Amino acid sequence: MEQFTTRAMAWVFLSGWLSAAPVVGQWIEIGPPGVTQISDVAVDPSSPGTIYVATETGVQKSSDSGASWSVLSPSLFTGVRVDPVTSSTLYAFSAEAISKSEDGGLSWQTVYTALAGMTISSLALDLQSAGRLYVGLLGPRQCVVADFCGPVGGGVLRSDDGGASWQQLQTNKAVYSLRVDPLTGSTVYAGVSLGLFEGMGVYKSVDSGVSWRRLPQNDIFSLAIDPSNPSTLYASTSFDGIVKSVDGGESWSASGLAGNTIASLAVDPSSSSTVYAGTGSGVFRSRDSGASWHPIGLGGSYVSGLAFDPSSPETAYALVQPGRLFRFTTAPICAADPTTVCLNGDRFRVGVEWRTADGRSGSGRALPVTSNTGSFWFFSPSNIELAVKIIDGTTVNGRFWVFVGALTAVEYEITVTDSLTGEIRAYFNPRGRLSSFADTTAFPSVGASGLTEATDAVAPLASTAYLGATEACAAGPENLCLAGSRFRVEVDWRTKDGRSGSGRAVPLTSDTGYFWFFGASNVELIVKVLDARGINGHYWVFYGALSNVAYTITVTDTETGILKTYENSQGNLASVADTEAF
């Protein structure tokens, strides 16, 4: 650690675009050309890059991931499916009929025609039983009062022979959607209308549709099943965003994106903890089984369908209404390594380069902290020098925010790369400066870039007291024990609206830890205590703020009873080094 002054850091901003190479994770529109409406997309499970879409000009096929297209049928279809056992067998359906092709779409025959007044809403294939199909039906439309109409009755049909014959399984509910358990095949979920005044619900069958039971969660629309663990379900609702069940639908809990219109859901077949949501404002991704969500593209678009390529699971397709199809590579857009942390849904790549006065230099060694925060050490793994946090502030000002909390005055440059767009922000700290900083216009969700000016931080007030003998430090949920557990560190915070509380403590190394105030993934403050008695006879206290909330840091020397407090006023964001603390 070099000696320094505690003046505020003078930041220099550098920005630019990476354009020399294509960005991994970029969405690419793939057609098909000349269509204005695409209602469904399906992927051949045995042939990489082979996809089918249902359009107003009929079913179209691409064998090269959308580079070129051919029309297979002249008829208007609203949905298309590929037989999971024999991929040359296709099924396409409209509101009135289901057609089948056994030669890859060259010829078609009708295998079911809906009865008068009935409408075909959905078609699902059993991945475990060749030729087993389920069809969802909507009954005749009725109106209770003017402009308040809906289907009454409907049901589910099943065919065990590829559509040659059909069995009526359920008749008293209007069925909007069907999902079949990909592992057992005998478990089927039906999204149904509970009545014109009752909204939507889900029924479940565990005997291939012979009997049905209503599940407790109402107001469900889209439903996705984890292909590797089918007892895990994700569903979209009108008001609660996404809900999740880990027991096959017997109980549900909120899983984020409340307030969003969610039209489609899909679980990554190669990573069951990765879930995608198509919404009225683009595609969101969760890499932690729905605990947190991050936008990954197509912002402002209504994404009605999502599909993975089972034989190439890093490739996904998104259907944007009314008639646009996009391909997306889902491979990690940021790959963490010893000098890189990946933050905010792995969208942002962060690295640090440092230089000392005697000519030494190197790359900061990365230590991930939470999904939004990372830290770096330069000279010793126990000596954290820097923390970086990236917050999704797009609902506030349409941008992602970068926070930096410094525990060092070594010269360094932080480089943050938006892996989705290729845009870069570089933050340079000259030697001898120490500060925290927030760039609240760092990266746009989509569109133009912007920067803010750095402002000098106001040095927080420090005070010292003597308590006499005190108990040895014991780490707890609200305190850290640092520098050989000699020093106890606690934080109390206060907000402008009168809320207050104690920071929740998380140790990082023997000398460093952090506190969160409002959410475990949102680091607010990082604190370090170093034994520098060999330099100036004192222990040094450093802290770097990733928050401008008012707070008081209390550091207690449990051997001497000396207590020191550091006050940060509301709206201030600073790093502080007290090199004569104890």
Side-chain angles (χ1 to χ4, degrees):
M1 177 63 64
E2 294 191 325
Q3 293 189 349
F4 47 81
T5 64
T6 56
R7 292 175 294 168
M9 182 178 297
W11 288 98
V12 177
F13 297 96
L14 305 172
S15 66
W17 291 87
L18 294 176
S19 57
V23 179
V24 176
Q26 185 176 4
W27 294 90
I28 301 174
E29 187 169 0
I30 58 174
V35 302
T36 59
Q37 181 178 346
I38 305 174
S39 53
D40 198 14
V41 56
V43 184
D44 187 332
S46 62
S47 178
T50 299
I51 52 179
Y52 300 85
V53 292
T55 78
E56 82 276 13
T57 61
V59 174
Q60 294 200 31
K61 175 183 179 180
S62 174
S63 300
D64 49 17
S65 302
S68 60
W69 294 88
S70 59
V71 178
L72 300 182
S73 75
S75 301
L76 171 62
F77 290 114
T78 56
V80 60
R81 303 286 184 268
V82 183
D83 189 294
V85 178
T86 307
S87 61
S88 60
T89 298
L90 310 176
Y91 297 91
F93 66 94
S94 64
E96 297 81 22
I98 300 173
S99 294
K100 177 181 180 181
S101 172
E102 296 181 312
D103 53 12
L106 298 179
S107 61
W108 297 82
Q109 60 175 330
T110 300
V111 294
Y112 176 76
T113 301
L115 299 176
M118 304 295 284
T119 300
I120 299 170
S121 64
S122 53
L123 176 65
L125 278 60
D126 185 342
L127 301 185
Q128 301 300 320
S129 299
R132 176 168 286 179
L133 319 175
Y134 294 89
V135 175
L137 298 174
L138 304 175
R141 185 176 176 84
Q142 295 184 13
C143 296
V144 178
V145 295
D147 298 325
F148 197 87
C149 306
V152 175
V156 177
L157 301 176
R158 190 185 81 201
S159 173
D160 295 331
D161 50 16
S165 62
W166 295 89
Q167 178 184 357
Q168 182 83 45
L169 300 178
Q170 193 257 21
T171 60
N172 64 337
K173 294 296 181 183
V175 178
Y176 283 91
S177 62
L178 291 167
R179 294 290 185 271
V180 181
D181 185 322
L183 292 186
T184 68
S186 60
T187 299
V188 187
Y189 298 90
V192 305
S193 171
L194 300 175
L196 292 181
F197 291 103
E198 299 180 74
M200 302 289 291
V202 173
Y203 276 68
K204 178 180 181 179
S205 172
V206 295
D207 53 12
S208 302
V210 175
S211 61
W212 296 83
R213 180 171 59 88
R214 180 180 167 184
L215 296 179
Q217 176 72 31
N218 289 344
D219 192 36
I220 280 181
F221 293 90
S222 299
L223 182 70
I225 304 174
D226 183 341
S228 62
N229 182 16
S231 62
T232 298
L233 311 174
Y234 298 87
S236 63
T237 68
S238 294
F239 304 104
D240 298 328
I242 295 172
V243 293
K244 177 182 178 181
S245 173
V246 295
D247 54 13
E250 300 302 323
S251 62
W252 299 82
S253 60
S255 188
L257 293 183
N260 287 270
T261 299
I262 301 159
S264 53
L265 291 166
V267 181
D268 190 329
S270 63
S271 173
S272 62
S273 62
T274 303
V275 189
Y276 293 79
T279 77
S281 55
V283 179
F284 287 73
R285 177 173 60 193
S286 171
R287 288 196 180 275
D288 50 17
S289 302
S292 61
W293 295 86
H294 306 277
I296 61 168
L298 302 183
S301 301
Y302 186 91
V303 182
S304 62
L306 294 167
F308 282 90
D309 187 335
S311 57
S312 179
E314 72 278 3
T315 301
Y317 299 91
L319 180 57
V320 173
Q321 291 301 327
R324 303 168 68 197
L325 184 66
F326 288 80
R327 185 180 71 243
F328 177 58
T329 302
T330 66
I333 53 181
C334 175
D337 59 40
T339 61
T340 302
V341 291
C342 299
L343 304 181
N344 213 284
D346 290 346
R347 174 169 172 173
F348 297 96
R349 182 170 62 251
V350 184
V352 180
E353 298 294 325
W354 56 266
R355 292 165 293 278
T356 64
D358 59 8
R360 290 177 296 155
S361 63
S363 299
R365 307 297 286 183
L367 289 174
V369 178
T370 72
S371 61
N372 292 331
T373 306
S375 62
F376 294 87
W377 61 269
F378 298 168
F379 310 109
S380 169
S382 65
N383 187 5
I384 303 297
E385 307 281 4
L386 193 66
V388 180
K389 179 173 72 174
I390 299 181
I391 294 294
D392 182 356
T394 54
T395 59
V396 179
N397 67 348
R399 295 180 180 272
F400 287 86
W401 304 351
V402 175
F403 294 78
V404 175
L407 302 173
T408 183
V410 170
E411 178 184 316
Y412 58 83
E413 184 174 313
I414 305 167
T415 302
V416 184
T417 303
D418 184 343
S419 298
L420 190 63
T421 66
E423 190 174 1
I424 299 171
R425 288 288 181 271
Y427 303 94
F428 175 73
N429 175 60
R431 186 177 301 114
R433 300 295 178 89
L434 180 75
S435 185
S436 291
F437 180 74
D439 182 356
T440 58
T441 61
F443 294 93
S445 177
V446 176
S449 62
L451 293 172
T452 56
E453 295 296 328
T455 57
D456 286 349
V458 179
L461 301 175
S463 62
T464 304
Y466 180 69
L467 299 179
T470 184
E471 295 181 357
C473 186
E478 296 178 354
N479 71 275
L480 298 169
C481 294
L482 302 180
S485 293
R486 175 170 171 169
F487 295 89
R488 181 170 57 248
V489 183
E490 302 157 289
V491 178
D492 292 305
W493 55 266
R494 304 167 298 282
T495 64
K496 290 188 294 185
D497 58 8
R499 291 178 295 155
S500 62
S502 298
R504 307 292 287 183
V506 181
L508 286 175
T509 73
S510 60
D511 293 331
T512 309
Y514 71 86
F515 292 87
W516 60 268
F517 299 164
F518 311 109
S521 65
N522 188 8
V523 178
E524 305 283 1
L525 190 68
I526 187 165
V527 182
K528 177 171 70 176
V529 179
L530 290 182
D531 183 355
R533 289 175 295 179
I535 299 175
N536 68 344
H538 290 273
Y539 283 89
W540 298 357
V541 174
F542 299 78
Y543 66 87
L546 301 172
S547 171
N548 63 355
V549 171
Y551 53 82
T552 301
I553 303 172
T554 302
V555 184
T556 303
D557 184 343
T558 61
E559 289 191 7
T560 65
I562 296 176
L563 175 149
K564 200 150 193 175
T565 58
Y566 302 87
E567 293 283 346
N568 184 72
S569 60
Q570 191 74 45
N572 187 46
L573 187 70
S575 287
V576 166
D578 184 352
T579 58
E580 297 183 352
F582 296 94

